[in-house]
Amino acid sequence: MDSKGKIAAIILSAGYSSRMKDFKPLLKIGDRTALEYIVDSFYKAKVEDIIVVIGHNAEKIKDTYKGLKVKFIYNRHYSKGMYSSVVEGVKYLDKEIYSFFVLPVDIPIIKYSTINEIKGAFEQSEKGIIYPNFNGMRGHPPLISSDYIKKIIDNKEDGGLKNLLRNYERDAQDVKVVDQGVLLDMDTPKDYKKLLEYYKNSQIPNDEECRAILDKYCASKRIIGHCEKVKDLSVELAKSLIDRGCKLNIRLIEASALLHDVERDKSRHAYRGWELLNKLGYPNVAEIIKEHMDIRVEENGISEKEIVYLTDKMVMDNRVVSIEERFQRSLNKFKKDKQIMEMIKQRKINAEKIKEKIHRFGEDIYENK
């Protein structure tokens, strides 16, 4: 239970899915259906009071999800539209519920870390409505105080829940999130295809999500400028290596390079960056960030983490420099501290080892770098 009280979720799953031309609650996302994906995200975020409002194909849903730990509520008025399902859902909320999420089943790819973030914002806020906001756009699911249950039931205005809550904008707050999934629906087959493409690559943040992460967690334009340059150099180097037969994940390199210094203004920033990216659900990126300062260089092959490590050591602020120049400044700065000097020397050795390995693929790779 959260400090303000119990939180529930209402999943709207009663519609005809007419524009999709397939039944949305049963559409597959990886090895799970849309409804299973949503329920799993809420459970991971410790939201366990879950109501699924059903209507069209109600028996099919109940038969398919017999083992799902949710409360199915049948909306006999489902033909009147989504708002009728919202009304039906709030009627069945337990009395001890303090607030509730509302999420249509066709917006399924919400990370549980995002749900936790919305919950955290609600805990710290005096507002009764919290919206997730990705890059300036409000998304789903909103978290709504139980004070609005009666207003929802009594509402006679057209325009659904969105229009009703617009009347209470003074009681609303947006929380910045770094999850593009809050904006992605599957209303049509084209939308579904786009959503599946996003899901396929969802273990690595895309460019918009990377920039949202930097915007939220990294205050320094100077650091962002450095990250941009490391990203450009990393991608350029990786593409040259791929052309020579080296297997590398460009998307992983790009995201890791762009985010490697996201916590640069804090102590132990590599470790803090690792913590942050793990919390956000990107463990592969987190591991590269963790080793971008100190790394164990493998004897053979070239890895994504080695590319990011090396290019970080080839960029001073936002300027590409030689390894010698990059480390000389640090050696001069800490020449009176023997322990730090030894650490800097080892980092330089590691960078040179990686560069030597890359030379095996062709010395011309370093032209203009």
Side-chain angles (χ1 to χ4, degrees), residues 7 27 80 116 126 134 139 168-169 206 238 260 271 312 352:
I7 296 175
L27 287 174
K80 293 183 178 180
N116 277 331
E126 296 180 357
F134 179 77
Y168 302 97
E169 194 60 35
N206 62 29
H260 76 279
Y271 178 78
D312 178 46
E352 289 169 340

Side-chain angles (χ1 to χ4, degrees), residues 184-333:
L184 298 178
D185 65 19
M186 49 182 200
D187 201 32
T188 67
K190 184 178 179 181
D191 295 333
Y192 180 45
K193 184 178 179 181
K194 181 180 177 182
L195 185 142
L196 289 179
E197 187 63 29
Y198 172 85
Y199 170 77
K200 186 174 73 174
N201 296 297
S202 61
Q203 292 302 304
I204 302 170
N206 62 29
D207 188 68
E208 286 184 81
E209 289 172 324
C210 285
R211 294 180 189 284
I213 292 168
L214 288 171
D215 179 60
K216 181 165 183 172
Y217 296 103
C218 182
S220 169
K221 290 183 179 179
R222 182 183 64 80
I223 293 171
I224 293 173
H226 169 77
C227 290
E228 289 270 12
K229 195 66 179 178
V230 172
K231 184 259 299 185
D232 291 344
L233 186 58
S234 291
V235 170
E236 184 183 354
L237 180 56
K239 285 180 177 178
S240 296
L241 288 165
I242 288 169
D243 288 343
R244 287 162 170 79
C246 191
K247 292 183 178 180
L248 292 166
N249 186 329
I250 286 280
R251 185 181 166 95
L252 178 59
I253 289 170
E254 187 171 14
S256 302
L258 196 51
L259 297 173
H260 76 279
D261 269 352
V262 64
E263 297 276 31
R264 186 68 180 84
D265 56 352
K266 298 182 178 68
S267 62
R268 301 174 69 215
H269 75 278
Y271 178 78
R272 286 176 178 265
W274 173 79
E275 280 189 319
L276 173 62
L277 269 295
N278 269 316
K279 184 183 79 171
L280 295 176
Y282 302 116
N284 294 334
V285 176
E287 286 303 313
I288 293 177
I289 290 174
K290 187 179 181 180
E291 294 194 47
H292 85 271
M293 290 295 291
D294 296 289
I295 192 172
R296 185 171 69 86
V297 180
E298 302 292 340
E299 287 298 320
N300 300 307
I302 300 291
S303 66
E304 290 84 359
K305 67 182 179 181
E306 289 173 333
I307 296 295
V308 175
Y309 179 91
L310 176 62
T311 52
D312 178 46
K313 307 305 176 285
M314 294 172 63
V315 175
M316 189 183 295
D317 294 327
N318 64 350
R319 182 170 59 91
V320 179
V321 297
S322 67
I323 292 174
E324 189 65 35
E325 182 181 350
R326 171 69 167 78
F327 279 96
Q328 194 57 52
R329 185 169 71 171
S330 297
L331 289 169
N332 290 339
K333 182 178 179 180

Side-chain angles (χ1 to χ4, degrees), residues 67-115:
L68 209 59
K69 295 179 181 179
V70 299
K71 184 191 294 182
F72 288 108
I73 300 299
Y74 180 70
N75 173 22
R76 59 193 177 91
H77 303 294
Y78 69 88
S79 61
K80 293 183 178 180
M82 189 182 294
Y83 189 73
S84 67
S85 292
V86 177
V87 173
E88 203 64 29
V90 299
K91 285 180 181 177
Y92 285 87
L93 288 170
D94 291 339
K95 290 183 180 179
E96 65 267 28
I97 294 299
Y98 191 87
S99 59
F100 56 95
F101 288 98
V102 177
L103 183 63
V105 76
D106 62 357
I107 307 177
I109 305 190
I110 313 293
K111 291 182 173 64
Y112 75 89
S113 58
T114 301
I115 296 170

Side-chain angles (χ1 to χ4, degrees), residues 158-177:
D158 293 330
L161 182 63
K162 183 177 181 180
N163 186 62
L164 171 66
L165 296 183
R166 193 178 290 127
N167 296 324
Y168 302 97
E169 194 60 35
R170 289 185 188 178
D171 194 31
Q173 177 182 317
D174 287 22
V175 56
K176 277 186 179 182
V177 299

